[in-house]
Amino acid sequence: MTPAASQDSAASTVDVVIVGAGFAGMYLIHKLRKEGFSVRAFEGGSGVGGTWYWNRYPGCRVDVVSMEYSYQFSEELQQEWEWSEKYATQPELLAYANHVADRFDLRKDIQFHTRVTAASYAEDSGRWMVRTDKGDSISAQFFILATGTLSTTNLPAFPGLDSFEGPTYHTGQWPHEPVDFTGKRVGIIGTGSSSCQSIPHLAEQAEHLTIFQRTANYVIPAHNEPVAAEEIQKIKANYNEFRQRNQQYPFAFFYETTNKTAQEVSDEEREREYEAAWQRGGLMFLGTFTDLITNHDSNVTAQAFFRRKLAEIVQDPETAKTLMPDFAIGCKRLIVGTDYYETYNRKNVTLVSVKDNPIENITPNGIVVNGTEHEFDAIVYATGFDAISGPITSIDIKGREGRSIRDKWADGARCYLGLMAAGFPNLFTITGPGSPSVLSNMIKSIEQHVEFVSDCIVDLRDKGHTVIEADADAEEAWRAHVDEIAEQTLYKSCNSWYLGSNIPGKPRVFTTYIGWPQYATEIEQVVADNYPGFIVDKPALAENA
Ligand code: N01
């Protein structure tokens, strides 16, 4: 683990292989290079940006406020970048990613158009052999998965899927060229965030848009707007203080809250607060009262408010009824949208519920539900992702004794602290299963993990160690801890991608740590206590014998 083991001296040997050039991969390259490690990143796309490279569907935006959804490791970077809207659009986010790649000269260590297909750990050398779909074999001491949490798309195996004669699109793999739906009959399957963001735009263009909804969702208005120059100035004048304040919140981003439970206020006050939160818009609605995601009765009050709002907006009572969700608000990720419910008042929009009558099959002309064929010129699959563990298990990873990560996680993904899986030495997962990841400001979580990993392997190098891994008991205790916290909430009360229940056959396990500040404290403590729960330089089994 020395800078001498560089790409120059041996093209197929580096200190660190990184998978992915999204926000996690990019910061890893920058940080690890600065610490003197040689790195090689592999990226399936032709450019950087991860999520914001792939998800180019119309209307795609971030649902965390732009001034917060950005790197904070470089004061110069956060001072020079200018966000134009409260919630940045995908093109602006991608431009930001490209700016970062240029500014820190990251591309020279990224091999684009290349997917890592397999990686195996050799116990004798303590190194990983990583293979790609382009035929690369590269040896690395550390193997870091910066593969993202929502990057492996889910395309349900509808009978006749390939028979449709028109163009099809998946929101998570949208073409780079603009798609023109003018004059077309378009069908869209799914009503998650990707769908709800794109529907108003598709409806504007299409001759007719038909939406196939299995589960009605809660969509809160974004109330997007330009960021005022004075606000930018105010934040930039003391960006660090702004960041510090936001990290005290449960999801590592700021929101206004009454700091009261929904139970302790009068009906009038509750309604007033919900109305104010609706007018502010965004994910922060869930923070209006402190117990919305933990107390069923409190949650029911928010559900009722939502249904009243929906009934006010959607003119056709039958359509409004079909759009009414029937699960705890926040259990599936709350959707931040613009003109979503209003779109159902358009004459060229039809809602088809597939809750009780699932999609039967796809035909050359369209989609069949309940014996009726709906004819289309184009179909959009907004059917989501194999989330959190999917991007990791999509690679054939083999750790100690040749054990595969797919087998290890057959009954649910687990990582100690969301960072390392027992039996997979020197393999780190950035925002992996068991970390706050999707229930936090992702960029903050990414930075925290990158810095943890970097500090950890610098520490190993400084002390002359070569191998680190999670202890199996510590991993199991952490898994139980993550689950215990989730049990105290309503997150397990519905089916969602948080639980993996959107993927047929995937174990229903909640793999996200709820509570950013507690997690951050825990991680700091682990470092201060010299990495309890990790084993350093554990001998291979053969050496033990
Ligand atoms: O995916 P989803 P997404 N038949 O899984 C339906 C982030 N994101 O891409 O709910 C019929 O939420 C499925 O139905 P059901 C954000 O974290 C953020 O929209 O399983 N329907 C559901 O309606 C988000 O939560 C933004 O019953 C089927 C839909 O497809 C996450 O990504 C924007 C089906 C999938 O929804 C995922 O969002 C976009 C079937 N066989 C995404 N299979 C921001 O705002 C699936 N569905 C930042």
Side-chain angles (χ1 to χ4, degrees):
M1 189 169 61
T2 64
S6 69
Q7 285 164 259
D8 298 335
S9 55
S12 59
T13 300
V14 288
D15 294 327
V16 187
V17 160
I18 297 164
V19 191
F23 283 117
M26 290 201 296
Y27 184 34
L28 275 167
I29 297 169
H30 175 66
K31 182 84 178 126
L32 295 177
R33 272 193 332 211
K34 254 174 96 172
E35 298 294 353
F37 296 101
S38 59
V39 301
R40 173 85 60 84
F42 292 102
E43 164 58 50
S46 64
V48 297
T51 286
W52 308 109
Y53 170 92
W54 295 103
N55 290 268
R56 297 170 186 246
Y57 60 82
C60 182
R61 283 177 192 277
V62 64
D63 58 4
V64 172
V65 168
S66 319
M67 292 300 290
E68 298 195 50
Y69 190 81
S70 54
Y71 288 122
Q72 40 193 299
F73 68 83
S74 160
E75 175 64 8
E76 295 78 18
L77 174 64
Q78 63 181 7
Q79 287 298 332
E80 75 199 10
W81 185 260
E82 204 82 342
W83 293 109
S84 66
E85 294 181 62
K86 180 175 171 187
Y87 296 104
T89 60
Q90 175 271 331
E92 192 169 19
L93 287 154
L94 189 57
Y96 175 69
N98 278 303
H99 171 75
V100 174
D102 292 339
R103 191 186 201 289
F104 298 105
D105 194 15
L106 304 180
R107 287 191 185 81
K108 66 181 180 200
D109 288 310
I110 306 171
Q111 187 170 322
F112 293 104
H113 301 289
T114 309
R115 286 195 177 275
V116 169
T117 52
S120 53
Y121 179 72
E123 305 215 23
D124 50 355
S125 63
R127 295 181 71 85
W128 284 90
M129 180 57 73
V130 181
R131 297 182 201 284
T132 76
D133 64 354
K134 293 290 183 297
D136 305 278
S137 296
I138 183 164
S139 163
Q141 183 169 5
F142 297 100
F143 180 48
I144 309 186
L145 297 169
T147 38
T149 48
L150 293 157
S151 51
T152 302
T153 50
N154 168 42
L155 184 58
F158 297 116
L161 189 70
D162 293 331
S163 67
F164 184 66
E165 285 173 354
T168 61
Y169 307 92
H170 192 292
T171 45
Q173 288 177 337
W174 201 260
H176 289 203
E177 326 63 62
V179 181
D180 186 5
F181 292 105
T182 308
K184 300 230 161 68
R185 298 162 303 167
V186 181
I188 182 166
I189 301 174
T191 47
S193 298
S194 306
S195 177
C196 296
Q197 285 189 333
S198 56
I199 281 170
H201 296 263
L202 299 180
E204 286 271 326
Q205 270 191 11
E207 179 193 302
H208 199 94
L209 179 68
T210 304
I211 298 134
F212 294 89
Q213 171 191 278
R214 184 164 69 182
T215 309
N217 248 316
Y218 296 95
V219 185
I220 183 93
H223 298 307
N224 189 44
E225 58 190 1
V227 200
E230 311 81 67
E231 193 190 339
I232 295 178
Q233 260 176 8
K234 198 170 130 211
I235 291 171
K236 285 191 173 176
N238 212 335
Y239 223 135
N240 282 343
E241 199 175 282
F242 176 78
R243 303 289 198 183
Q244 293 305 324
R245 180 200 67 177
N246 302 341
Q247 281 156 46
Q248 304 312 313
Y249 286 81
F251 302 104
F253 53 76
F254 172 76
Y255 56 82
E256 286 187 35
T257 174
T258 56
N259 270 325
K260 293 176 185 165
T261 68
Q263 301 297 307
E264 68 185 274
V265 297
S266 66
D267 291 351
E268 293 73 28
E269 183 177 350
R270 200 183 304 114
E271 187 74 7
R272 211 169 42 245
E273 293 298 343
Y274 283 142
E275 182 60 34
W278 178 276
Q279 294 309 330
R280 286 192 296 271
L283 289 176
M284 303 75 140
F285 182 88
L286 291 173
T288 312
F289 296 105
T290 53
D291 60 345
L292 284 186
I293 202 65
T294 52
N295 183 312
H296 170 78
D297 294 341
S298 295
N299 194 285
V300 164
T301 67
Q303 295 174 35
F305 171 83
F306 230 93
R307 292 198 187 98
R308 283 196 292 280
K309 278 286 175 198
L310 212 157
E312 280 168 23
I313 300 169
V314 181
Q315 289 156 5
D316 174 49
E318 266 312 300
T319 306
K321 203 166 145 215
T322 310
L323 286 168
M324 302 251 178
D326 61 359
F327 59 90
I329 184 167
C331 179
K332 281 177 187 281
R333 192 180 181 90
L334 182 60
I335 298 171
V336 181
T338 298
D339 292 336
Y340 177 68
Y341 292 124
E342 288 81 353
T343 299
Y344 289 91
N345 295 332
R346 295 177 65 107
K347 292 209 168 7
N348 69 334
V349 170
T350 305
L351 178 64
V352 175
S353 173
V354 295
K355 187 176 179 192
D356 300 323
N357 298 297
I359 290 169
E360 284 165 30
N361 60 306
I362 310 288
T363 67
N365 299 318
I367 299 172
V368 179
V369 176
N370 204 15
T372 302
E373 185 183 62
H374 300 259
E375 291 193 3
F376 298 114
D377 302 308
I379 295 178
V380 176
Y381 294 98
T383 42
F385 301 89
D386 181 356
I388 305 174
S389 60
I392 299 172
T393 53
S394 69
I395 304 171
D396 182 17
I397 299 172
K398 294 203 165 72
R400 280 197 192 275
E401 300 166 58
R403 187 172 182 207
S404 106
I405 198 111
R406 290 173 190 154
D407 289 347
K408 179 182 164 81
W409 287 356
D411 60 352
R414 77 244 354 239
C415 279
Y416 175 47
L417 301 172
L419 278 157
M420 285 199 116
F424 294 79
N426 289 3
L427 183 161
F428 292 95
T429 51
I430 304 299
T431 66
S435 73
S437 71
V438 290
L439 287 177
S440 68
N441 179 347
M442 279 302 285
I443 302 205
K444 179 59 210 165
S445 273
I446 284 168
E447 285 192 328
Q448 183 210 33
H449 271 193
V450 169
E451 285 160 16
F452 175 93
V453 171
S454 174
D455 291 350
C456 173
I457 68 177
V458 164
D459 194 53
L460 283 184
R461 181 178 63 188
D462 291 350
K463 292 178 177 157
H465 299 303
T466 54
V467 178
I468 186 164
E469 64 188 290
D471 172 68
D473 291 340
E475 178 189 75
E476 174 51 23
W478 186 257
R479 185 206 58 75
H481 179 49
V482 171
D483 188 58
E484 188 188 10
I485 298 171
E487 282 291 347
Q488 294 160 23
T489 72
L490 300 172
Y491 281 110
K492 289 171 107 176
S493 67
C494 72
N495 288 324
S496 71
W497 58 258
Y498 289 138
L499 281 159
S501 48
N502 61 327
I503 302 297
K506 191 170 175 177
R508 195 174 191 278
V509 178
F510 196 85
T511 53
T512 304
Y513 185 99
I514 303 164
W516 162 264
Q518 295 87 337
Y519 179 81
T521 307
E522 185 96 32
I523 290 287
E524 278 167 20
Q525 199 57 46
V526 164
V527 175
D529 294 347
N530 200 21
Y531 303 99
F534 290 96
I535 308 168
V536 173
D537 287 350
K538 176 181 169 183
L541 276 187
E543 288 174 43
N544 270 333

